[in-house]
């Protein structure tokens, strides 16, 4: 297995994320062609497809031995590739479709064991480019970032997500909300998993969690959190299969990790604990 030059890969992914971001913004604020995917709640627009096609064409041509997994199209490139790309052309599609200016482009490269090596997340509304290379730190617009030092839950602002699949964990979401709202300064739901992770990395949120997301939603942001000094795990503090498959994804700063995990233990339904 030949390891690509990860700094050069980050540079390339950064350029693609910015270009895809520009392409999305050309379509933002207009009426969209909405396509339903897994359910009536799970949508894609013409911009998701256009941005994915753009990124995938560039990656399959530059890295022909790699596999490329895109949210809209599934698999491209070499299915047996020793490296895999995970692309979310518009993370926060529900926001985009409603012309709410909070969404991003997310691009991650992982090795054959499923470890993210490079992560790039671009927010075209704020012109904020988050990135990380494993072992080389995380940046926001080329400046180093670090998770916050907040150590008390009552001084924290946390974010959570509600996935498109409404059952069977719906009641667990409400129990999480019920547990954390009275114990934190604020609990938010902004609608872009990748950006919520980057905001933990940048010290804007102290924690973020969500059930049932996909690698294209969280692999780039997860690396950015870890490289900014934060912790990533499932709801038990483990890097289990449930974590790598996105079934349970939790990000925290260092100081609040135990307190947030304690909250998760408290709210998990026994059959899913
Ligand atoms: C979405 C997320 C959102 C999450 C949804 C979904 P999409 O990604 O980022 O925050 O709650 O489950 O995964 O579909 O907009 O790329």
């Amino acid at each position: 297995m030949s390891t690509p030059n990860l700094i050069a890969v980050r540079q390339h992914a950064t350029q693609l994320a910015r270009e895809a971001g520009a392409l999305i913004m050309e379509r933002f604020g207009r009426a969209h062609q909405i396509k339903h995917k897994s359910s009536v709640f799970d949508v894609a627009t013409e911009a998701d497809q256009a941005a994915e096609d753009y990124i995938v064409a560039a990656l399959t041509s530059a890295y022909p031995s790699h596999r490329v997994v895109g949210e809209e199209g599934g698999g491209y490139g070499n299915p047996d590739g020793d490296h895999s790309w995970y692309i979310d052309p518009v993370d926060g599609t529900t926001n985009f479709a409603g012309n709410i200016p909070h969404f991003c482009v997310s691009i991650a490269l992982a090795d054959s064991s499923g470890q993210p090596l490079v992560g790039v997340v671009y927010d075209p509304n704020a012109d904020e480019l988050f990135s990380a290379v494993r072992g080389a730190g995380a940046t926001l617009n080329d400046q180093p970032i670090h998770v916050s030092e907040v150590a008390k839950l009552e001084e924290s602002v946390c974010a959570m997500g509600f996935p498109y699949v409404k059952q069977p964990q719906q009641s667990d979401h409400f129990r999480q909300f019920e547990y954390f709202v009275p114990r934190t300064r604020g609990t938010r739901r902004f609608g872009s998993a990748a950006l919520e992770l980057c905001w933990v990395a940048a010290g804007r949120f102290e924690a973020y969690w969500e059930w049932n997301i996909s690698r294209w939603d969280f692999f780039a942001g997860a690396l950015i959190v870890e490289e900014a000094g934060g912790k990533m795990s499932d709801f038990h503090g483990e890097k289990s299969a449930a974590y790598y498959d996105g079934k349970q994804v939790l990000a925290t700063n260092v100081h609040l990790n135990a307190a947030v995990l304690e909250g998760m233990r408290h709210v998990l339904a026994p059959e899913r604990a």
Side-chain angles (χ1 to χ4, degrees):
M1 172 172 91
S2 65
T3 307
N5 174 333
L6 298 181
I7 299 295
V9 165
R10 166 166 56 184
Q11 209 174 345
H12 190 197
T14 295
Q15 181 201 333
L16 291 176
R18 284 190 179 280
E19 289 167 356
L23 207 147
I24 293 161
M25 291 308 279
E26 282 170 16
R27 292 158 172 82
F28 183 59
R30 303 184 181 174
H32 300 295
Q33 298 153 31
I34 309 281
K35 188 175 87 184
H36 293 141
K37 300 197 292 181
S38 60
S39 76
V40 68
F41 305 112
D42 183 9
V43 297
T45 71
E46 73 295 347
D48 297 66
Q49 194 62 58
E52 178 160 309
D53 291 349
Y54 183 80
I55 296 167
V56 166
L59 292 178
T60 48
S61 141
Y63 310 97
S65 66
H66 293 184
R67 183 168 76 115
V68 181
V69 183
E71 179 176 19
E72 307 311 329
Y76 310 88
N78 175 4
D80 303 317
D82 52 11
H83 288 77
S84 297
W85 292 87
Y86 295 96
I87 313 301
D88 194 337
V90 181
D91 183 61
T93 300
T94 299
N95 285 345
F96 179 85
N99 292 323
I100 298 165
H102 188 79
F103 47 83
C104 64
V105 180
S106 178
I107 302 177
L109 175 68
D111 67 15
S112 54
S113 65
Q115 294 301 320
L117 300 173
V118 174
V120 170
V121 174
Y122 181 54
D123 174 350
N125 289 290
D127 191 22
E128 290 192 326
L129 190 299
F130 299 88
S131 76
V133 168
R134 183 161 293 281
T139 58
L140 163 53
N141 289 345
D142 297 325
Q143 299 304 310
I145 50 173
H146 205 274
V147 292
S148 82
E149 294 295 335
V150 171
K152 292 182 178 163
L153 208 48
E154 63 269 27
E155 292 174 6
S156 72
V157 180
C158 299
M160 63 183 294
F162 294 89
Y164 300 131
V165 180
K166 306 288 181 187
Q167 296 293 337
Q169 289 109 333
Q170 192 81 342
S171 56
D172 295 336
H173 299 133
F174 295 134
R175 277 204 293 278
Q176 284 173 326
F177 222 60
E178 224 174 357
Y179 181 91
F180 285 100
V181 167
R183 289 173 172 81
T184 57
R185 184 173 288 165
T187 304
R188 304 282 187 255
R189 195 291 191 250
F190 285 159
S192 165
L195 276 183
E196 281 155 11
L197 286 161
C198 290
W199 286 21
V200 173
R204 297 172 183 172
F205 291 143
E206 276 61 53
Y208 155 79
W209 58 88
E210 187 157 359
W211 311 80
N212 287 337
I213 51 177
S214 299
R215 290 184 174 189
W216 51 70
D217 297 308
F218 82 99
F219 257 31
L223 180 64
I224 294 168
V225 168
E226 289 185 327
E227 288 298 320
K231 289 188 174 289
M232 293 300 310
S233 70
D234 64 16
F235 296 160
H236 303 276
E238 307 293 334
K239 285 277 192 73
S240 60
Y243 168 75
Y244 284 107
D245 292 342
K247 293 194 166 36
Q248 298 181 357
V249 175
L250 170 66
T252 71
N253 76 7
V254 173
H255 306 302
L256 284 175
N257 188 252
V260 175
L261 283 171
E262 170 56 31
M264 294 298 162
R265 264 192 296 279
H266 189 83
V267 301
L268 278 181
E271 69 275 15
R272 283 188 280 279

